[in-house]
Amino acid sequence: MMANQKGACECRQETEEQKYQRISRVIEEYKGREGSLIQILHMAQGIFGYLPLELQQFIAQKLDKPLSEIYGVTTFYSFFATKPRGENTIRVCLGTACYVRGGKKIIDRLQEILSIGVGETTGDGKFTLEVMRCIGACGLAPAITINDQVYKQVNPDKLQTIIEKYY
Ligand code: FES
């Protein structure tokens, strides 16, 4: 096993057991600090890719908190996923400006193109579709993001072309 200077594992194929060992170390480090739960959940999502219920139970037990508290946080914040995400995450802004300028039409068109609903992942594991709140691009609404890329003034008719870039 290789480790960088900070001791983080650089292995490509980590076993579940190794992932749980890593998150245990994170929990020990962050436990008791202010806002630690969100940080721990972020790190857990980074390690596992999403936050399955077994992992939430593990974190609850280690932090000595009720599972309902962990579950409440993971479901409240849209950046936490409780199911495996696709290779690419498409998020459509439904903040006021984007909604008024056609955000809903964008969602409808994406659902049609991808044949999935919001919160779902395509059968080939390529795309997950989510909605998000304002990302500060209101002047150029409607906006969507695909992974870290922001697309502004999106026209529903251009979505197919945008999506094709990710195949
Ligand atoms: S409302 Fe969509 S970017 Fe602000």
Side-chain angles (χ1 to χ4, degrees):
M1 188 189 299
M2 285 183 59
N4 65 20
Q5 284 181 326
K6 289 180 184 159
C9 183
E10 289 176 345
C11 333
R12 278 165 195 237
Q13 288 290 327
E14 235 182 340
T15 63
E16 280 292 289
E17 199 189 328
Q18 287 169 329
K19 289 180 185 172
Y20 273 98
Q21 283 167 0
R22 274 176 75 193
I23 196 61
S24 294
R25 290 197 293 272
V26 169
I27 293 169
E28 285 312 312
E29 194 184 329
Y30 283 86
K31 207 173 179 177
R33 291 195 205 168
E34 202 174 326
S36 63
L37 179 54
I38 303 259
Q39 284 176 316
I40 289 167
L41 291 172
H42 258 299
M43 305 280 266
Q45 184 158 287
I47 294 168
F48 289 80
Y50 69 110
L51 302 168
L53 197 58
E54 316 81 81
L55 177 58
Q56 294 180 46
Q57 274 162 339
F58 179 82
I59 294 171
Q61 198 188 9
K62 287 268 179 190
L63 289 176
D64 207 16
K65 286 181 186 285
L67 175 62
S68 57
E69 188 179 332
I70 314 293
Y71 186 75
V73 173
T74 55
T75 48
F76 180 79
Y77 293 102
S78 60
F79 45 78
F80 290 131
T82 53
K83 289 191 225 155
R85 278 205 169 107
E87 209 178 297
N88 304 287
T89 302
I90 305 176
R91 294 194 175 94
V92 180
C93 180
L94 279 191
T96 311
C98 288
Y99 186 85
V100 170
R101 294 208 203 145
K104 177 72 174 61
K105 277 192 193 136
I106 292 192
I107 294 218
D108 292 346
R109 185 77 188 103
L110 281 171
Q111 294 190 129
E112 217 175 277
I113 295 172
L114 301 169
S115 304
I116 54 170
V118 171
E120 294 178 355
T121 299
T122 51
D124 61 3
K126 270 273 168 195
F127 297 101
T128 297
L129 180 61
E130 296 182 347
V131 295
M132 63 182 173
R133 312 240 160 164
C134 179
I135 51 159
C138 317
L140 294 168
I144 68 167
T145 59
I146 302 185
N147 307 326
D148 294 332
Q149 172 81 44
V150 180
Y151 293 88
K152 298 168 185 165
Q153 290 186 310
V154 177
N155 175 338
D157 297 335
K158 297 275 161 61
L159 285 167
Q160 183 80 51
T161 317
I162 294 174
I163 299 288
E164 275 164 13
K165 288 190 211 160
Y166 292 83
Y167 279 101

